[in-house]
Amino acid sequence: MLVAGILCLAFGVLPLPAFGELTARTVPILAFVLAMTVVTELVADAGLFQVLTDRIAVFGRGRVWLLWLLVIALATVSTVFLSLDTTAVLVTPVVVLLAMHARIPALPFALTAVWLANTASLLLPVSNLTNLLAQSRLGLSPAAFAGLVWAPALAGIVLPVAMLGIAFRKQLGGQYGPQPPHKVQDRPLLLTCAATLAVLLPALVSGVPVQIPAMAAALILLGVFARRRPGSLRWSMVPWRPLMLTIGLFMVVESLHAIGLTPLLGGVSGSGDGLPSLLRLAGLGAATANIANNLPAYLALEPEAGSPVRLAALLIGVNLGPLISPWASLATLLWHERLKALNVQVRWGGFAAAGLCCVVLLLPLSVLVLWLASGTT
């Protein structure tokens, strides 16, 4: 994909002025993605996520349903403040291993992680790369962005959790025994990571450009690890493949816009802020995300979202809709890689059927509450 983007630029399909605007808009976002990936990898290496799951196991008091609710809280907070990919990559294995060690079914916990990684990723700009792109277009502060999407963001958490609770009510009704805690190898390092994360999270919603606190946190942790645990610093922490894919997608979709994609989509995406038009745009975003991927779906349809409410409807489609196909979001693919490493099997037919049921209910509800909260007619 990156080679395709470079070829588009080299042969003039992507004009230089458009490439310059694209670069100015996306480099800060990519810097944030890189920095946050390094931060979460180092925090996980220090054992912070394992310590959190140990506490969750204790607070669950031997009741599976209470343990599941605490896992929901962890997955939601991780997605909202650290991004959906963090939940897919780092939260999934620890909660699945927690279930396996407690000898309770792992599937409810695994499916909860991946559904919330997608559907809880609407509230803040840092929750999803598509949100960062939307924020850069609208010029909104994190608080103003949350004020625009809070209603559908709440629906994106409540309805999937309710559906999972109904579907897995029998598996969630049992008991589990006490769990042995993980041994902390370097407590000062763990406390440093926890303190850094505690300062970083409010900084990400303070209104400061998010790449600044993220890069500062990454540099602090890199310095601490270089001194205390240099063996943990490796080039594999850098998300080379996702970054190359993302850069390539940016360039290819911008090239398609340059040769006439925008007028083509304008005929099918509707216009205006009325409820039918918002439903149409969200549905098109969800369908495109499940056919291709949510990032190119957003990039392709962004020019058709001419108002904040329409942009929020598009985000509903591309953030809450990718629950059907495995490739609809990068988070789902990363989640599946982690499950394969843990020898947890997922049947894609069942995954797609369950996701379709959720999307069919969730998208209209989310668009409806967006429309009601926005006060448009």
Side-chain angles (χ1 to χ4, degrees), residues 2-59:
L2 180 59
V3 170
I6 293 173
L7 291 175
C8 288
L9 180 64
F11 287 98
V13 181
L14 175 58
L16 280 175
F19 177 69
E21 294 177 5
L22 179 68
T23 301
R25 183 183 179 194
T26 57
V27 165
I29 294 173
L30 295 173
F32 166 78
V33 171
L34 174 60
M36 283 303 298
T37 301
V38 171
V39 168
T40 52
E41 288 282 353
L42 293 177
V43 166
D45 190 87
L48 183 60
F49 285 100
Q50 291 180 331
V51 170
L52 288 174
T53 53
D54 288 343
R55 298 293 184 269
I56 286 173
V58 172
F59 294 150

Side-chain angles (χ1 to χ4, degrees), residues 291-319:
I291 293 171
N293 178 268
N294 66 335
L295 184 56
Y298 172 84
L299 292 171
L301 291 166
E302 186 190 56
E304 305 309 315
S307 69
V309 176
R310 282 185 63 79
L311 199 60
L314 174 58
L315 289 175
I316 289 173
V318 299
N319 288 15

Side-chain angles (χ1 to χ4, degrees), residues 79 84 114-134 145 149 152-153 156 160 281-282 284-290 293-295 297-299 311-324 328-329 331-332 358-359 362-363 366:
T79 301
L84 71 169
V114 73
W115 272 21
L116 287 176
N118 287 287
T119 65
S121 68
L122 189 61
L123 184 62
L124 294 177
V126 298
S127 307
N128 200 318
L129 182 56
T130 56
N131 297 359
L132 288 170
L133 291 168
F145 184 91
V149 299
L281 180 58
L284 182 60
T288 308
N290 282 287
N293 178 268
N294 66 335
L295 184 56
Y298 172 84
L299 292 171
L311 199 60
L314 174 58
L315 289 175
I316 289 173
V318 299
N319 288 15
L320 276 58
L323 298 180
I324 302 170
S329 76
T332 302
C358 183
V359 170
L362 179 58
L363 252 64
S366 301

Side-chain angles (χ1 to χ4, degrees), residues 14-195:
L14 175 58
L16 280 175
F19 177 69
E21 294 177 5
L22 179 68
T23 301
R25 183 183 179 194
T26 57
V27 165
I29 294 173
L30 295 173
F32 166 78
V33 171
L34 174 60
M36 283 303 298
T37 301
V38 171
V39 168
T40 52
E41 288 282 353
L42 293 177
V43 166
D45 190 87
L48 183 60
F49 285 100
Q50 291 180 331
V51 170
L52 288 174
T53 53
D54 288 343
R55 298 293 184 269
I56 286 173
V58 172
F59 294 150
R61 300 179 181 274
R63 298 178 177 86
V64 176
W65 67 268
L66 183 55
L67 181 67
W68 177 66
L69 291 179
L70 292 168
V71 167
I72 289 170
L74 175 62
T76 300
V77 171
S78 169
T79 301
V80 169
F81 289 97
L82 298 177
S83 87
L84 71 169
D85 294 337
T86 297
T87 301
V89 173
L90 299 177
V91 174
T92 295
V94 293
V95 300
V96 169
L97 285 173
L98 174 62
M100 294 170 67
H101 291 162
R103 298 184 178 180
I104 55 181
L107 184 59
F109 292 81
L111 200 58
T112 297
V114 73
W115 272 21
L116 287 176
N118 287 287
T119 65
S121 68
L122 189 61
L123 184 62
L124 294 177
V126 298
S127 307
N128 200 318
L129 182 56
T130 56
N131 297 359
L132 288 170
L133 291 168
Q135 182 199 24
S136 72
R137 175 170 179 173
L138 293 173
L140 296 177
S141 68
F145 184 91
L148 174 65
V149 299
W150 70 268
L154 183 61
I157 297 170
V158 173
L159 182 60
V161 166
M163 294 183 67
L164 289 168
I166 294 171
F168 293 112
R169 60 189 180 279
K170 292 183 180 179
Q171 293 94 321
L172 298 173
Q175 303 282 325
Y176 67 94
Q179 300 300 300
H182 293 89
K183 184 178 180 180
V184 177
Q185 297 179 354
D186 189 334
R187 186 167 294 277
L189 182 63
L190 176 66
L191 293 176
T192 301
C193 289

